[in-house]
Amino acid sequence: MTALLEIRDLHASVGDTPILKGINLTLNAGEVHAIMGPNGSGKSTMSYVLAGRNGYEITGGDVLINGESVLELSPDERARAGMFLAFQYPVELPGVGGMSFLRAAVNARRVEAGEEEVDQLAFVKMVRAKAGELDINDDMLKRAVNVGFSGGEKKRYEILQMALLEPTISILDETDSGLDVDALKIVSDGVNMLRAPERTMLVITHYQRLLNHIVPDHVHILAGGKIRKSGGKELALQVEETGYAGIDDAA
Amino acid sequence: MPALMMQPDLSNVVVSGPVRTAALTAWQQQGWPGPRVESWRFTKLDRLAAREITPASSLSTATAGDGLAMAAGMGAHAIQIVNGVIDPASLEGLPAGVTAGNLSDDQGAQDAMMALAPPNHPVSNLSMAVMSGGLVLDVVGEVARPLMLIFEGDDASLSAHPVVLIRLAPAARMVMAEWHQSAVALSAPLIGLDLAAKASLDFVKIQSEGSTTSHLAATGVSLAGEARLTGFSLSVGGEMARLETHVTMAGEGADCQLSAIYLGRGRQHHDITTVLNHDIGHCTSDQVIRGVLDDRARGVYQGKVRVAEDAQKTDGQQMSRALLLSRKAEVDAKPELEIYADDVVCAHGATVGELDATQLFYLTSRGIPEAKARAMLIEAFLIDAIDSVEIDNLAQILRETATRWMAQTGLTTDGNQHG
Ligand SMILES: Nc1ncnc2c1ncn2[C@@H]1O[C@H](COP(=O)(O)OP(=O)(O)O)[C@@H](O)[C@H]1O
Ligand SMILES: [Mg+2]
């Protein structure tokens, strides 16, 4: 079976500074992987490199979706190939209406798949239904993208986009940061609803508590730009007890 | 003054009355400002000054521009000014509360116009002297129907010198638009807006001249106590355009919102110059300027806020932002505060940059093709500013004009063509 996402000995630098120093990960269909690691270990950098953001030099290795290298693809091409990144810091877009943004994203995906663009009315219904489950009200939907949203609202809006785009590969970068207990539950439920045999997820987090809600199949510890240790969900509990220092030593 | 500089050719123009004669003398002494005049450092007039042009003198038929359709779309009464000459037929059936008069034989109104007009400005003097058309509009009460001044013209050997003075009586209210779309060599409107106490004017100007036209506009504004002006200019046409506006806050509690957008491509040159004179305290002014430039286009923003010694509690803000879509496009931004009072809140800022890479990445990471993502951000940059216009009709013509420019520049937000 071909992996949905395969990261092979990935090395990446910003300027002359190496940040990712040989990452190997294989995400098969149906699996949820968690990446944990201290601040500055390279988690966000890895998510950006996977999504194809400019400004990183790939100095070695490869990233494959369904067995094909995507390093030459632009961010929009990777997204249309099924990848989605929920940002640690979602970006405000003053003047860009939320609904037209969501529709542009959904239609881009549809056109790629050779489907009809979704019509306005059907789209509004679709968004309302999914927004309701994430406790996102009409007022938020009408505003410019992420403008005037609280930290928690921004995270829920990321999950709404994910729900609408139905990606096969989802990367969630610290989606739990800045969420209170209730919001954490809403977001986790939203994510869990998207778990499916034909999809995979990479859940990046600094804390173990998210993983009580989104229970991973595999847990990896990233430190200093490398995966130091991999295991089952019990590894997350171990980190909770001993901290990253202990794990790092063990590596 | 070298002969080359003395365009347009005024040999056949009859100038009468003391105000216009004085203006002619001033024009003849000063001519077009050269690059050494500080306020004209960024906008050079040598190409214009070298063209052989004569002022228009008689009315010709209107050309088929978009002005009438725009006016109809917003339910406005259209006053047509062709090659700078006012079409008297279009002064019939004015909305209730608006009275038209002839400026060319009204010395008092001419005096008032010159008191408002940007001082020592070539267009103030030249257009007052030539005055191819002169109009005074007196406004009382709340005018139910918007007014649109449509400036057209089809003759590339002509210069147009319309002079329009608009006076709002105390507590009068009006919505009006200026639509400029001509093919004359030089379009040089001189406009005066005189708002009495508590008067209120919502004003939009669209400069959509032909590609070989130079548009040099001089606008003078005076706001009495608690008067309110919300003005928005969109400069998109012409080979070279300078929209210069001078505002005097003449009574406490006056409020002036002045926004402008300039959109340039090819070798277009757009200049937005404003002078805000806070002569008296307790007034507010706010200027939002946005520009988008492609190819080798150039933009200039000069904004001066002057706060007089006694003008305490002044609030004067100005912010200019320009987006450059090409490495060869250029902007000169010069916001200036000249403050002689001590108890004021004033701020200015100017940024020039490319599209935000993080915003672009966010959009493309959702699968939106890069070209469309860029267009969405440019549109947002413009719509965000246009959204401040509260009168729907006015916002609508601004949006339409901006969207049309985007389409012509190859920036389109519809469709999803990719791959
Ligand atoms: N654009 C950048 N320029 C320079 N250094 C960077 C840049 N982005 C990230 N880094 C550095 O790379 C390391 C990893 O950062 P990041 O991926 O944000 O870590 P994490 O998400 O795990 O907290 C940090 O030392 C950070 O300072
Ligand atoms: Mg991070």
Side-chain angles (χ1 to χ4, degrees), chain A residues 48 51 53 75-76 79-80 84-85 87 91-96 101 104-105 107-108 111-112 117 145-146 158 161, chain B residues 356-370 372 376-377 379-381 383-384 415-419:
Chain A
Y48 289 146
R53 185 177 189 161
D76 55 301
R80 297 196 302 273
F84 179 85
L85 169 62
F87 282 51
V91 181
E92 297 187 9
L93 305 176
V96 176
F101 162 70
N107 280 335
V111 168
E112 179 85 13
E117 295 196 6
V145 176
N146 288 320
E158 294 292 289
Q161 294 168 46
Chain B
D356 185 281
T358 305
Q359 294 183 334
L360 206 54
F361 172 59
Y362 191 68
L363 285 167
T364 53
S365 77
R366 270 53 184 145
I368 298 169
E370 177 165 341
K372 177 169 173 158
M376 284 172 77
L377 290 176
E379 185 176 60
F381 177 70
I383 297 297
D384 192 45
N416 262 298
Q417 270 56 59
H418 50 71

Side-chain angles (χ1 to χ4, degrees), chain B residues 141-351:
Chain B
E142 183 155 350
V143 180
R145 221 177 142 198
L147 208 61
M148 185 185 275
L149 303 180
I150 300 175
F151 300 81
E152 294 182 326
D154 52 1
D155 190 333
S157 69
L158 293 181
S159 60
H161 301 274
V163 186
V164 181
L165 174 62
I166 298 168
R167 295 188 287 215
L168 273 70
R173 302 176 73 88
M174 186 164 73
V175 171
M176 68 167 286
E178 271 184 45
W179 181 273
H180 297 264
Q181 187 179 18
S182 76
V184 294
L186 168 64
S187 169
L190 172 61
I191 310 287
L193 304 172
D194 190 358
L195 277 66
K198 297 192 174 169
S200 165
L201 181 62
D202 286 282
F203 180 90
V204 154
K205 164 172 176 165
I206 293 183
Q207 184 281 107
S208 182
E209 306 277 22
S211 59
T212 60
T213 297
S214 292
H215 180 96
L216 290 180
T219 303
V221 181
S222 171
L223 301 177
E226 292 177 50
R228 182 196 141 269
L229 172 73
T230 304
F232 201 115
S233 298
L234 177 52
S235 189
V236 62
E239 174 178 57
M240 186 264 281
R242 170 150 161 154
L243 279 55
E244 179 157 348
T245 306
H246 289 227
V247 180
T248 300
M249 309 301 243
E252 287 191 357
D255 175 46
C256 180
Q257 311 286 318
L258 265 195
S259 302
I261 289 179
Y262 55 90
L263 305 173
R265 61 169 180 260
R267 288 178 171 267
Q268 274 183 307
H269 180 103
H270 288 295
D271 175 335
I272 304 288
T273 294
T274 62
V275 177
L276 260 290
N277 287 310
H278 282 268
D279 284 358
I280 204 151
H282 299 271
C283 294
T284 50
S285 68
D286 189 9
Q287 303 177 65
V288 176
I289 313 296
R290 297 214 171 163
V292 179
L293 298 174
D294 201 356
D295 306 327
R296 289 166 173 269
R298 287 197 57 160
V300 177
Y301 168 61
Q302 307 186 98
K304 183 186 281 185
V305 175
R306 222 189 102 265
V307 181
E309 204 174 337
D310 299 328
Q312 304 297 359
K313 307 285 180 197
T314 289
D315 184 338
Q317 310 286 329
Q318 51 176 336
M319 181 67 207
S320 135
R321 291 174 60 195
L323 262 183
L324 303 184
L325 306 182
S326 132
R327 287 184 191 281
K328 299 223 164 105
E330 264 181 74
V331 169
D332 291 294
K334 196 174 128 199
E336 267 183 289
L337 294 173
E338 219 180 278
I339 301 177
Y340 301 102
D342 46 29
D343 185 10
V344 302
V345 185
C346 288
H348 67 184
T351 66

